[in-house]
């Protein structure tokens, strides 16, 4: 089950905690992975661990670079079966204090880049009559979170985008889904004060923060042949903190 | 028959998986060859790639038959 041998994947934000866990998960099932991100050193360290993987540095706030990324991945890997839109940034602020650039940056990197990559990836996927587009959204895209109007909007946007896209391309065996992590141990949550982390944990029935591997497993499932009949869905992986 | 017409028909045959003798200049992609709206988008993209032309959306909407495609490409392709 869930064998990805012979498949190729592009993972954005692969230098981060979640992205590297996803790349490891896909590679463990046999996929060759293009690792994209802005920090080349951690990407190269990861690539050294994953046979057949390649590093493709890319700044997702640069539209032209984003438009070129899928082509570079196809060139490096020979094909593209799986796109994982994982990269995300936060610029938290209460709405009344939020600057235009805080809003713009988050929407551009989290939502617009995901659309540009999906649009480009559809070409090889439609031709191949097979493809998997998986976007990492967030529980806050569904529940909201104070201080994150921009982030929550971008993550909710990914869910709507994926549903529309899923309907457009389902007849070509291309599925489009989201994975929605709850609170996961990562550099993004490491910066939270200890007291806040404890308060968070009390809201999680599982009694712990999630691990990257918990999310990677969900991505591997949606990427697999076995998930061919699952499209337009959001798989919530949050220890029960929100049941949607 | 022109070289462009041959190449257009070849793309249509390959893409829609229809018999070559079913594809005539008069064939309508949707009515005669069983294409859906997504097929027509993919055909337009395949024509763009093959002939190095850009087919704007308003022109693409008018490409309904093999003849329409050949006409557009003859009028707009560089070579």
């Amino acid at each position: 089950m869930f064998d990805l041998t012979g498949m190729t994947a592009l993972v954005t934000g692969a230098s981060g905690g979640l992205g590297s866990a996803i790349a490891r998960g896909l590679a463990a099932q046999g996929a060759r992975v293009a690792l994209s991100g802005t920090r080349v050193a951690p990407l190269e360290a990861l690539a050294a661990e994953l046979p057949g993987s390649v590093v493709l540095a890319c700044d997702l706030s640069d539209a032209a670079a984003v438009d070129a990324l899928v082509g570079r991945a196809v060139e490096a890997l020979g094909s593209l079966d799986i796109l994982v839109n994982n990269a995300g940034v936060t610029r938290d602020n209460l709405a009344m204090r939020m600057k235009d650039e805080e809003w713009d940056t988050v929407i551009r990197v989290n939502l617009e880049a995901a659309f540009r990559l999906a649009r480009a990836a559809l070409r090889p996927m439609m031709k191949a009559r097979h493809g998997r587009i998986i976007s990492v959204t967030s529980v806050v895209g569904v529940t909201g979170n104070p201080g994150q109007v921009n982030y929550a909007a971008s993550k909710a946007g990914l869910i709507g985008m994926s549903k529309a896209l899923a309907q457009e391309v389902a007849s070509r065996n291309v599925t489009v889904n989201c994975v929605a992590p709850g609170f996961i141990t990562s550099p993004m949550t490491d910066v939270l004060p200890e007291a806040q982390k404890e308060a968070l944990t009390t809201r999680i029935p599982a009694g712990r923060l999630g691990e990257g591997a918990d999310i990677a497993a969900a991505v591997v499932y949606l990427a697999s042949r076995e998930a061919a009949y699952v499209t337009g869905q959001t798989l919530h992986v949050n220890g029960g903190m929100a049941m949607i | 028959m022109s070289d462009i017409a041959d190449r257009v028909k070849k793309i249509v045959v390959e893409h829609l998986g229809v018999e070559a003798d079913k594809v005539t200049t008069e064939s309508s992609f949707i009515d005669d060859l069983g294409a859906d709206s997504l097929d027509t988008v993919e055909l337009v993209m395949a024509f763009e790639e093959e002939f190095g032309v850009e087919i704007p959306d308003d022109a693409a909407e008018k490409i309904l038959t093999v003849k329409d495609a050949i006409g557009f490409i003859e009028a707009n392709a560089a070579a």
Side-chain angles (χ1 to χ4, degrees), chain A residues 74-198:
Chain A
V74 170
E75 201 173 308
L77 300 170
S79 62
L80 185 64
D81 300 296
I82 303 158
L83 167 66
V84 183
N85 287 313
N86 163 73
V89 295
T90 54
R91 294 287 185 277
D92 295 356
N93 214 339
L94 292 174
M96 291 179 73
R97 300 285 303 162
M98 185 162 287
K99 313 286 177 293
D100 287 355
E101 60 264 33
E102 290 169 340
W103 172 269
D104 289 342
T105 300
V106 168
I107 297 295
R108 197 179 315 127
V109 173
N110 296 9
L111 181 58
E112 188 186 318
F115 166 67
R116 287 178 178 277
L117 293 173
R119 181 175 60 186
L122 280 174
R123 251 182 207 246
M125 288 177 181
M126 302 279 278
K127 263 190 199 157
R129 293 289 190 268
H130 170 83
R132 299 281 184 265
I133 297 175
I134 301 157
S135 295
V136 178
T137 173
S138 166
V139 64
V140 309
V142 178
T143 62
N145 198 28
Q148 293 198 308
V149 283
N150 48 3
Y151 188 76
S154 73
K155 295 301 187 179
L158 285 174
I159 293 173
M161 178 188 89
S162 298
K163 289 179 179 177
L165 206 49
Q167 293 180 38
E168 288 188 19
V169 299
S171 66
R172 301 302 192 267
N173 299 319
V174 177
T175 68
V176 189
N177 291 289
C178 291
V179 172
F183 286 101
I184 304 297
T185 311
S186 79
M188 218 186 260
T189 52
D190 285 346
V191 298
L192 295 173
E194 206 53 43
Q196 198 178 338
K197 267 192 256 186
E198 271 170 39

Side-chain angles (χ1 to χ4, degrees), chain A residues 218-239:
Chain A
V219 172
V220 164
Y221 165 63
L222 291 171
S224 72
R225 289 181 181 86
E226 284 79 2
Y229 201 54
V230 178
T231 195
Q233 304 300 316
T234 299
L235 180 47
H236 289 268
V237 184
N238 60 27

Side-chain angles (χ1 to χ4, degrees), chain B residues 11 26 41 44 55 57 62 78:
Chain B
I11 288 171
E26 304 298 324
V41 171
V44 163
I55 307 179
D57 286 347
K62 297 192 191 97

